[in-house]
């Protein structure tokens, strides 16, 4: 295993910092202790949350890698950091929905909890000034962000990820309600699953009680509960 030297800060987001390393093709992703919602308008410090999310995201990315899906994740370096392939992030957030919740429930006035007969895929344009608006394939192509061919590839990958993650979580008595993922392109222009997968970016409901095991309690004002909830997810993922 090669020795990793952390270099300059490349960029800082709401919940992560990205550092260059001695290898120009690899970066260090560092998880911060911030919990955000409403496009960062609500931003709270929560001690050790970054450590827990690094562990959760590591376990999920390892699993996805083991299924043969290409991701940016190489390995966990320490309690807060992962070594990842360097990518240019495609400025689109892809959401897959299995059950109605969150913004879809509000936008279409449909009760939360209804199981969708077809998985719904949505695209949000990552643009803070515009508050990440919901767009469709044609907007994304018009904006010059992506081609139709790349979108087709990405939809196939998301569908695959959804199928394997639904089963992975169900084995741990967790229902995967919906999730948001991001993709990036490496130096060869390959599309890699990137960013993180954690209770920050997914909705998880307990299979037996339907309790929300994700960031939703924070979105509705309950900050203190979040760490216990994230620990519960980590505990279940660690059980084989
Ligand atoms: P939504 O119902 O609020 O649109 O969220 C759909 C999924 O996307 C949910 O699992 C939470 C996740 N998500 C993020 O990871 N980041 C965001 O900024 C938003 C709005 C949602």
């Amino acid at each position: 295993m090669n020795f990793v030297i952390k270099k300059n800060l490349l960029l800082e987001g709401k919940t992560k910092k990205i550092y260059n390393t001695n290898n120009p093709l690899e970066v260090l992703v560092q998880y911060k202790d911030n919990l955000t919602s409403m496009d960062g308008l609500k931003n709270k410090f929560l001690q050790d949350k970054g450590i827990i999310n690094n562990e959760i995201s590591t376990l999920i990315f390892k699993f996805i890698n083991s299924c043969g899906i290409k991701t940016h994740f190489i390995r966990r370096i320490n309690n807060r950091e992962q070594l990842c392939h360097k990518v240019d992030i495609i400025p689109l957030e892809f959401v897959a929905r299995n059950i109605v919740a969150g913004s879809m429930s509000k936008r279409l006035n449909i009760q939360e909890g209804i199981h969708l007969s077809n998985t719904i895929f949505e695209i949000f344009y990552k643009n803070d000034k515009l508050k990440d608006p919901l767009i469709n394939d044609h907007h994304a192509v018009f904006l010059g962000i992506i081609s139709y061919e790349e979108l087709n590839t990405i939809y196939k990958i998301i569908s695959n990820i959804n199928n394997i993650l639904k089963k992975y979580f169900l084995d741990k008595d967790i229902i995967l309600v919906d999730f948001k993922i991001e993709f990036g392109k490496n130096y060869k222009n390959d599309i890699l699953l990137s960013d993180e997968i954690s209770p920050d970016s997914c909705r998880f409901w307990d299979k037996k009680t339907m309790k929300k095991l994700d960031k939703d309690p924070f979105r509705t004002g309950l900050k203190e509960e979040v760490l216990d909830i994230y620990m519960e997810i980590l505990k279940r993922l660690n059980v084989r």
Side-chain angles (χ1 to χ4, degrees):
M1 216 175 277
N2 291 336
F3 195 64
V4 180
I5 302 170
K6 185 165 158 183
K7 296 224 163 170
N8 59 303
L9 180 70
L10 187 60
L11 47 103
E12 178 163 4
K14 292 173 198 119
T15 57
K16 289 185 289 298
K17 288 181 181 174
I18 316 286
Y19 291 90
N20 274 318
T21 68
N22 49 318
N23 182 337
L25 300 179
E26 295 173 356
V27 289
L28 268 187
V29 176
Q30 186 185 78
Y31 283 69
K32 305 198 295 188
D33 283 341
N34 291 65
L35 192 61
T36 68
S37 71
M38 298 160 72
D39 291 327
L41 261 180
K42 212 168 140 185
N43 190 336
K44 297 264 186 261
F45 177 81
L46 191 58
Q47 184 75 43
D48 293 343
K49 179 246 176 187
I51 296 175
I52 300 170
N53 264 11
N54 183 26
E55 280 195 55
I56 292 175
S57 202
T58 292
L59 289 168
I60 298 173
F61 269 98
K62 271 188 181 171
F63 173 69
I64 294 175
N65 276 347
S66 77
C67 295
I69 296 169
K70 285 185 188 168
T71 80
H72 74 155
F73 178 84
I74 301 171
R75 63 189 155 91
R76 180 171 170 271
I77 296 278
N78 57 43
N79 66 355
R80 282 196 185 273
E81 293 172 329
Q82 299 175 358
L83 185 67
C84 294
H85 296 294
K86 193 174 194 169
V87 294
D88 285 327
I89 288 284
I90 299 169
L92 299 173
E93 294 185 337
F94 291 89
V95 168
R97 299 184 187 272
N98 298 307
I99 295 178
V100 177
S103 69
M104 178 180 167
S105 163
K106 289 197 193 83
R107 193 167 50 246
L108 301 179
N109 192 23
I110 303 176
Q111 200 188 333
E112 259 199 13
I114 292 176
H115 286 249
L116 294 159
S117 51
N118 55 312
T119 308
I120 291 185
F121 301 104
E122 294 174 347
I123 305 177
F124 293 85
Y125 177 28
K126 273 167 73 88
N127 183 314
D128 285 341
K129 273 194 197 147
L130 299 177
K131 297 193 179 144
D132 298 354
L134 175 67
I135 60 170
N136 67 25
D137 297 23
H138 310 289
H139 296 109
V141 172
F142 166 73
L143 289 167
I145 296 170
I146 201 160
S147 67
Y148 284 111
E149 201 187 345
E150 287 168 336
L151 279 170
N152 273 340
T153 304
I154 284 180
Y155 282 129
K156 279 190 196 129
I157 301 172
I158 302 175
S159 178
N160 202 355
I161 291 172
N162 186 38
N163 288 334
I164 62 167
L165 285 188
K166 268 196 297 190
K167 181 165 183 325
Y168 173 77
F169 286 111
L170 211 52
D171 284 347
K172 294 150 196 326
D173 282 340
I174 297 165
I175 298 171
L176 179 62
V177 174
D178 58 36
F179 60 93
K180 183 270 297 179
I181 48 181
E182 298 183 25
F183 293 87
K185 287 185 193 170
N186 68 6
Y187 71 106
K188 289 191 284 188
N189 235 18
D190 295 329
I191 292 176
L192 308 185
L193 176 68
S194 303
D195 194 51
E196 72 175 278
I197 302 186
S198 71
D200 276 7
S201 60
C202 305
R203 282 199 174 87
F204 299 130
W205 293 352
D206 181 84
K207 189 180 147 197
K208 293 191 184 109
T209 64
M210 301 306 265
K211 184 181 173 204
K212 293 181 176 181
L213 300 175
D214 52 42
K215 202 168 74 170
D216 264 355
F218 171 69
R219 293 185 180 103
T220 52
L222 300 167
K223 174 186 150 194
E224 306 311 329
E225 269 190 28
V226 169
L227 217 52
D228 289 343
I229 288 173
Y230 284 28
M231 284 296 290
E232 173 65 24
I233 291 288
L234 181 57
K235 197 174 91 192
R236 292 196 200 185
L237 297 194
N238 270 320
V239 175
R240 276 157 220 279

